[in-house]
Amino acid sequence: MPARYFEDFAIGRGGLAPRAVLESDAPVIDLNGPWAFRFSPTLRSEPDGFQEPEFDDGSWGALPVPSHWQLRGHGRPVYVNVSYPIPLDPPFVPDENETGDYRRVFDLPGSWDGVPAVVRFEGVDSCARVWLNGTELGVTYGSRLPVEFDVTAALRPGRNVLAVRVHQFSAGTYLEDQDTWRLSGIFRDVRLLARPAGGIRDAFVRADYDAATGAGLLRVSVDTDAPVRITVPDLGIDDRPAEGEFRLPEVRPWSAEDPHLYEAELSTATERVRVRFGFRTVAVDEHGVLRVNGRRVVLRGVNRHEFDPDHGRTLSLETMRRDVELMKRHNINSVRTSHYPPHPAFLDLCDELGLYVVLECDLETHGFEYADQERWQRNPSDDPRWRTACLDRIERTVERDKNRPSIILWSLGNEAGDGRNLRAMADWLHRRDPSRPVHYEGDRLAEYTDVFGEMYRPPAAVARIGRGELLPGEISYPARAGSGDPADDPRNRKPYLLTEFAHAMGNGPGALAEYERLCDEYPRVQGGWVWEWIDQGLCTHDAEGREFFGYGGDFGEDLHDGNFICDGLVFPDRTPSPGLLEYARVNAPVRIGPGPEPGTLSVENRYQVLDLSHLRFTWSLEREGTELARGELPTPRLAPGERGRLPLPAPDLPPGEDGEGEDGEGELWLTVRAELAKATDWAPEGHVVAWGQLPRSAPDRSRPEGLLVSAHTEDGSVRLGPGRFDPDTGLLLGLGELPLQGPRLNLWRAPTDNDRGWSQQDAAYWKARGLDRLRHRTVSVTPGADGLTVVVRSAAAAVSCGYLTTYRWSSDGTSLRLRVHAEPVGHWPEREDHEAESLVDAALPPGEFRELVRRGASRSLARIGLDWQLPADWSLVEWFGAGPGEAYPDSRHAARVGRFRATVDQLQTPYVRPQENGNRADVRWAEISDGAAGAVRVQGEELFHLSARRWTDRQLAEARHRTELAPGPVVHLHTDHAVHGLGSAACGPGVLPEHRLELGTADFTLLLTPIRRS
């Protein structure tokens, strides 16, 4: 059988040399829109004449370009992470290879007669063969890379027909094993571009900045056969020859915080092009610190796949702008374009609005890692047959976007192992563009890259790297010991970046603040990129027509990786998750806290370029969540990195309200906010970029007990004050006339994606102990003169371990006080822990180190607390504590102390795969009501956790999608003494020892009060 054109180690054929995206005044014809389309579920190899202009396509359907055919009723989307969706038999692909044939008819204006032209495809997945008017133009691989074909000889006056055959799989598929949906088609723009004789084919604008003097150096290289003139109005350059250097004594540099752009016009006699550029210099200094314009940068970033829940990788300009604006509003300053170049319009927005970009090549071969007997045995990255294709991909990546100031690093690709082809790519890059450092995480020893990047290292390992303690030859994945002097390892003299960290799958990630502290402590630890920006859930419908976000397995795939595709900081509809709010607070460019002296606030400017003059500082003072006063503070005059102080506001308050007298009751909190003083291109005036809180008074939360009433039997129940109890089980049946029932001890939660992680095995440990199916045996119910004592043993079938809980009830006649003592009984086996490396920094003091190691290996609980039930219409919740959103031990910085209200439905966080959510932390008291006649007030002598939902934890855990959760007849109220942290164990470190809930005794007290409202 002759070789098939889509099964070739080479780079395709017929494509022109790559060039930059240039905005030209030459004519252009937009070929987006409806195309005639024919779908074949299996391979169509040789054309049947459809490429000919007179072919009758009347029986075909229509498909919009750009789009993916799997999202338009043809074939099915497939999600796999590491595995290839085809047999590993390079460069061959199976005959079960969906094929889409496209035809587009367009008219060529008379003004184009005799004008050279090219057709440009911005992205076609995965292989395309192209004809114009029956003349074959060529074949292209590289799904997310542009290609141009010369159409000058094939164009005709009037009617023209562009025909394209697209294959789902090709040899290029082996280089595109990215962790995302596998979707096919012409998914980016198609345009016909006039290329006038004597025009500008390409241009490379280099604009360097001298941080010491403020001067700029502008150099422009133009690919043309005609003289070129340049005009940059803001620099006083007016119609001058473009060759040579332009030395400017003073320029305004570009940065993510101050993205100042200049506009250049390059012109020949037949064409003018516009290029926006910025002056900036990227360098690694002698101390191994990455600097932009001479300043150390910390990259507080995200990995971003292109994704839309309705359109896949086809994004509108409005959606791209929304992404950038959301990032800026949440204090994100960097994007890694995982794992391919994005649509060029996205980079326009990064230039304009200000984001540092790591632009990644369209290269990943992860499926080869464990495909054969030896790791990476047939990896294309080390196979000379793929060398030309690898070099072609990096060249097309760099040439398209070389003029963009937002790009500060080039990345060779992702999870493609190691090999000679990657080294060749790095060598080419260093020659072509020495102005930007090269990144590639798979270069474990940083031999051919300029920065040292790694994935998912725990904070303890990052601290060790920050101290420069890597041993020569040491690597973490796969683990390999090193030896010798750390001074001999070049990685200890390079910037350290977390290529991926804090896996944001489901409820999480935890420990973001721990990573940020390391960036403060170690100069070479310079941040990184959370995995990832968005949950890639596709909008779909169930059998009843209800809409939900689908993930792997929802489309009838043979092979899939489930909801591992839903691991973003925003939900598929781009609603910010609690994880994004946490990241925004941790990344805040201003820190506000108590000052070093009484009566002062401490303010730290964490911007890297800006002072604080663009901000205003406001304050509010609240007593028990009720505002007493508000005002403004003077804006501190602090340069980047400086710290200062402000006087605490001194509002004129009534006697006692200032916290000094005895009349003011409840906690007094001061909240100070740093807001935008005026609107920006990405946020309105008043947008809060940072905030801090200070307690001004904290009265004792415990209430002294009055004269206690006795428990007695009445009408078959045990009565104690307002409480009515079951005499056999000791359960509360009602509080006065109000329908609160319970409590039941709860030690389990519907596992989060991180709980299910492979490393710490927490969810498996809880399930093996039966914590999800506890049965309760009442040991004793003892009424007495001072109250009621109930002892209950809670354990699961077939296990010997459990908890023995003593509930001591007392009452002053108005309220019920519940003292709980819970202790583990029976044999609790040790927990298996497969964490790849220690979560504890060995440099800690020995006692602290040993204690954290012990806690890290301890047996765990998901929670320890009490469950209650109320009727379904008791669905209004008000609380004083941390909020307004959910918080957990290692993800709580976004929550402030205040008074908040929500319905039970509003308390839920809509994770794509249902799981534990909605926990409110540090609650002092909560009131649950029906919104009319009454309420139940729950107050803790200790801070407690609160959550409420319309389904049980078991129902929550069993649901694959939110549409499967049916509200029940009761509200399930959780008041927890303690809860387990979140971590990132779905693909990263587990819960750090200090945030784990270990098995042990718990003592806590709640006060329950019925409230009747007239």
Side-chain angles (χ1 to χ4, degrees), residues 733-762:
L733 302 177
L735 189 64
E737 299 178 6
L738 304 179
L740 179 67
Q741 296 184 14
R744 291 287 195 190
L745 182 72
N746 193 352
L747 308 173
W748 184 74
R749 68 187 183 196
T752 67
D753 290 311
N754 290 314
D755 292 336
R756 297 170 185 255
W758 60 269
S759 55
Q760 292 181 326
Q761 302 287 301
D762 282 309

Side-chain angles (χ1 to χ4, degrees), residues 179-393:
D179 176 15
T180 187
W181 290 101
R182 311 305 167 101
L183 299 168
S184 314
I186 306 174
F187 71 97
R188 288 186 186 159
D189 308 299
V190 183
R191 292 174 297 161
L192 186 71
L193 308 175
R195 302 301 314 127
I200 296 173
R201 202 199 75 82
D202 195 12
F204 192 176
V205 178
R206 298 172 176 89
D208 298 327
Y209 177 71
D210 187 331
T213 65
L217 175 63
L218 178 64
R219 294 164 294 157
V220 181
S221 302
V222 183
D223 183 357
T224 181
D225 55 6
V228 182
R229 312 287 290 182
I230 183 172
T231 297
V232 187
D234 289 348
L235 295 175
I237 300 173
D238 183 21
D239 196 32
R240 294 170 61 183
E243 64 270 9
E245 296 180 343
F246 297 88
R247 296 186 177 273
L248 295 311
E250 184 177 359
V251 296
R252 181 174 169 184
W254 185 98
S255 69
E257 293 173 8
D258 182 23
H260 185 74
L261 294 172
Y262 291 89
E263 184 172 315
E265 183 183 88
L266 303 174
S267 62
T268 67
T270 58
E271 185 179 17
R272 295 175 182 269
V273 300
R274 171 179 171 264
V275 181
R276 294 193 306 176
F277 68 93
F279 286 94
R280 60 111 186 88
T281 300
V282 186
V284 176
D285 71 12
E286 67 273 18
H287 303 293
V289 175
L290 178 67
R291 296 185 179 275
V292 176
N293 300 332
R295 297 178 182 266
R296 174 182 181 258
V297 294
V298 176
L299 301 177
R300 301 179 173 101
V302 292
N303 286 278
R304 174 187 178 268
H305 269 293
E306 290 185 300
F307 182 75
D308 179 274
D310 296 303
H311 306 293
R313 284 191 297 279
T314 299
L315 274 63
S316 67
L317 181 60
E318 293 74 21
T319 298
M320 290 185 263
R321 175 172 283 275
R322 185 178 177 191
D323 274 347
V324 177
E325 289 176 350
L326 274 173
M327 291 175 191
K328 296 284 290 186
R329 290 178 185 179
H330 290 87
N331 299 325
I332 288 166
N333 71 357
S334 180
V335 171
R336 174 179 174 232
T337 66
S338 54
H339 298 295
Y340 41 81
H343 192 288
F346 178 78
L347 298 174
D348 286 340
L349 292 165
C350 295
D351 290 343
E352 175 188 332
L353 300 182
L355 287 173
Y356 293 123
V357 174
V358 178
L359 194 75
E360 195 144 272
C361 183
D362 189 7
L363 175 65
E364 179 166 339
T365 63
H366 201 176
F368 282 93
E369 183 173 11
Y370 295 108
D372 298 307
Q373 188 172 0
E374 298 179 17
R375 291 178 72 244
W376 299 108
Q377 187 170 328
R378 292 182 290 156
N379 187 13
S381 296
D382 198 40
D383 185 335
R385 295 175 297 176
W386 293 99
R387 176 186 173 93
T388 302
C390 290
L391 286 170
D392 173 69
R393 285 172 182 255

Side-chain angles (χ1 to χ4, degrees), residues 754-830:
N754 290 314
D755 292 336
R756 297 170 185 255
W758 60 269
S759 55
Q760 292 181 326
Q761 302 287 301
D762 282 309
Y765 183 79
W766 303 335
K767 189 171 184 64
R769 307 286 78 75
L771 302 189
D772 60 332
R773 50 186 177 86
L774 291 181
R775 297 184 180 183
H776 308 275
R777 176 175 63 85
T778 303
V779 177
S780 62
V781 179
T782 309
D786 58 352
L788 174 69
T789 300
V790 180
V791 180
V792 178
R793 190 181 192 279
S794 304
V799 299
S800 63
C801 61
Y803 257 74
L804 189 68
T805 307
T806 302
Y807 303 91
R808 290 187 172 88
W809 297 90
S810 62
S811 176
D812 60 2
T814 300
S815 301
L816 286 176
R817 188 182 302 269
L818 172 60
R819 293 182 176 87
V820 178
H821 173 79
E823 60 184 45
V825 294
H827 172 60
W828 289 76
E830 296 301 316

Side-chain angles (χ1 to χ4, degrees), residues 537-766:
L538 288 171
C539 188
T540 188
H541 298 81
D542 64 17
E544 299 178 23
R546 297 174 298 185
E547 186 175 275
F548 68 94
F549 293 118
Y551 49 78
D554 286 328
F555 302 95
E557 311 99 301
D558 296 331
L559 181 70
H560 66 84
D561 284 312
N563 69 311
F564 206 69
I565 192 80
C566 296
D567 45 15
L569 290 171
V570 297
F571 298 132
D573 62 1
R574 286 178 163 75
T575 299
S577 76
L580 180 58
L581 303 182
E582 179 78 357
Y583 200 32
R585 178 79 200 292
V586 168
N587 288 341
V590 181
R591 280 184 181 152
I592 304 167
E597 301 168 355
T600 64
L601 283 167
S602 171
V603 179
E604 179 185 358
N605 180 1
R606 301 178 71 233
Y607 284 106
Q608 296 157 16
V609 174
L610 299 178
D611 60 25
L612 302 185
S613 60
H614 65 294
L615 301 177
R616 65 169 176 246
F617 284 69
T618 65
W619 60 268
S620 63
L621 188 67
E622 295 181 345
R623 167 83 67 189
E624 202 79 3
T626 299
E627 186 176 283
L628 302 178
R630 63 167 53 235
E632 285 195 29
L633 291 167
T635 297
R637 304 181 73 171
L638 297 175
E642 287 187 343
R643 298 185 183 186
R645 66 191 67 176
L646 288 174
L648 285 175
D652 186 13
L653 299 177
E657 287 293 357
D658 59 2
E660 302 298 329
E662 298 180 358
D663 297 333
E665 293 186 359
E667 299 178 39
L668 193 66
W669 283 84
L670 175 70
T671 304
V672 178
R673 298 174 176 86
E675 307 171 351
L676 291 178
K678 60 182 180 180
T680 68
D681 290 336
W682 47 269
E685 177 185 347
H687 169 75
V688 177
V689 301
W691 58 268
Q693 273 195 315
L694 287 79
R696 304 299 294 134
S697 71
D700 186 359
R701 288 187 299 274
S702 62
R703 282 180 46 180
E705 289 188 283
L707 184 64
L708 299 181
V709 300
S710 62
H712 62 281
T713 301
E714 179 183 320
D715 297 330
S717 300
V718 176
R719 296 278 185 168
L720 177 64
R724 181 169 56 89
F725 298 83
D726 186 300
D728 298 318
T729 64
L731 288 172
L732 180 67
L733 302 177
L735 189 64
E737 299 178 6
L738 304 179
L740 179 67
Q741 296 184 14
R744 291 287 195 190
L745 182 72
N746 193 352
L747 308 173
W748 184 74
R749 68 187 183 196
T752 67
D753 290 311
N754 290 314
D755 292 336
R756 297 170 185 255
W758 60 269
S759 55
Q760 292 181 326
Q761 302 287 301
D762 282 309
Y765 183 79
W766 303 335

Side-chain angles (χ1 to χ4, degrees), residues 130-148:
V130 184
W131 296 263
L132 180 63
N133 297 324
T135 298
E136 183 171 350
L137 303 178
V139 174
T140 179
Y141 301 138
S143 296
R144 295 96 180 184
L145 297 166
V147 65
E148 291 181 340

